[in-house]
Amino acid sequence: MKSIPPSTLRIVLFVVFVIAVVSVPFVIFGEEFVFPLLKSREHQVGWLTVIAIALLVCDSVAPVPATLVIMFLAAKAGAVAGIIGGTIGLSLGVLAAAWFGRGAVGRLAPKFFPDTELLRLRESLQQRLVLTLACLRSVPILAETSVIVAAAAGVPIRRIFVATLLPNLIVAAIYSLAADDSFSTAVVTFLATMVVSYAVWRIFGAKRTS
């Protein structure tokens, strides 16, 4: 049986560690507080949009179901509000996750990797930054994890923000337009988004390495 290279094992352990950090708030606090907060302002479009954006900004460090927040906003305030509010909230959430990754998790990264391996990880991420981050924007937990890992590895926050701006718009548009449909349609939309994202990652990732 082929053994896993130590460098690969360290990357896996580091990613698992970040996933655990992102998941802890969901385990401890749950996400039940989100909908009462949204429903308290569901008839006030301006306040509802502000609350939705604030929740999305906190998504990386708080148990916020981002896709459901966007769908609720679109259902109550309209698709345009869902798209605009969702894009702003997701993009500001990327900045929050990146700052957390740089300031907190980044200090722990050297404990997982020697300097040379950390440099290789940073270069590898930067080579596929747009592709990797874009394809994970629709995947809960991994969306935040990918941003935190990239920032912790030393990828510039500005590059991370720019790389995720268009994907955030697409994700917000998909869930805003699906907001008026049934729950089953929303689930299908979510699964289809993940499948397409994975397919794009595989196809274009293979071309980049060929």
Side-chain angles (χ1 to χ4, degrees):
M1 183 177 179
K2 189 176 180 180
S3 60
I4 301 176
S7 58
T8 302
L9 182 60
R10 280 192 285 268
I11 292 174
V12 171
L13 290 175
F14 184 61
V15 172
V16 170
F17 167 74
V18 176
I19 290 175
V21 170
V22 173
S23 302
V24 163
F26 284 91
V27 176
I28 295 177
F29 301 108
E31 55 190 38
E32 292 79 10
F33 74 97
V34 171
F35 290 107
L37 188 58
L38 290 170
K39 289 178 180 178
S40 68
R41 300 287 182 175
E42 62 180 320
H43 300 301
Q44 298 173 292
V45 173
W47 276 110
L48 178 61
T49 304
V50 170
I51 291 172
I53 291 174
L55 287 170
L56 293 172
V57 172
C58 298
D59 186 30
S60 59
V61 293
V64 176
T67 54
L68 296 181
V69 169
I70 295 171
M71 292 177 70
F72 186 95
L73 175 61
K76 300 299 181 180
V80 174
I83 294 171
I84 295 175
T87 302
I88 293 173
L90 290 173
S91 298
L92 293 179
V94 166
L95 287 179
W99 284 328
F100 176 72
R102 177 63 56 82
V105 181
R107 296 180 181 179
L108 299 176
K111 298 184 181 297
F112 285 84
F113 310 102
D115 291 341
T116 54
E117 287 187 14
L118 190 60
L119 178 61
R120 283 198 296 268
L121 176 61
R122 182 187 311 137
E123 291 175 346
S124 176
L125 286 170
Q126 291 193 120
Q127 288 174 359
R128 313 184 152 194
L129 187 67
V130 175
L131 188 61
T132 301
L133 295 184
C135 290
L136 293 176
R137 291 313 295 159
S138 63
V139 185
I141 302 298
L142 293 184
E144 297 80 22
T145 297
S146 60
V147 170
I148 292 172
V149 168
V155 178
I157 292 177
R158 183 178 180 278
R159 286 200 63 190
I160 296 172
F161 178 79
V162 172
T164 55
L165 194 56
L166 180 58
N168 285 336
L169 172 61
I170 294 173
V171 169
I174 288 174
Y175 287 104
S176 294
L177 296 174
D180 291 331
D181 292 331
S182 65
F183 176 76
S184 60
T185 301
V187 172
V188 170
T189 302
F190 167 71
L191 294 176
T193 303
M194 286 202 302
V195 170
V196 171
S197 297
Y198 178 75
V200 169
W201 188 87
R202 292 291 296 178
I203 293 170
F204 288 96
K207 288 182 179 181
R208 288 288 298 271
T209 56
S210 62

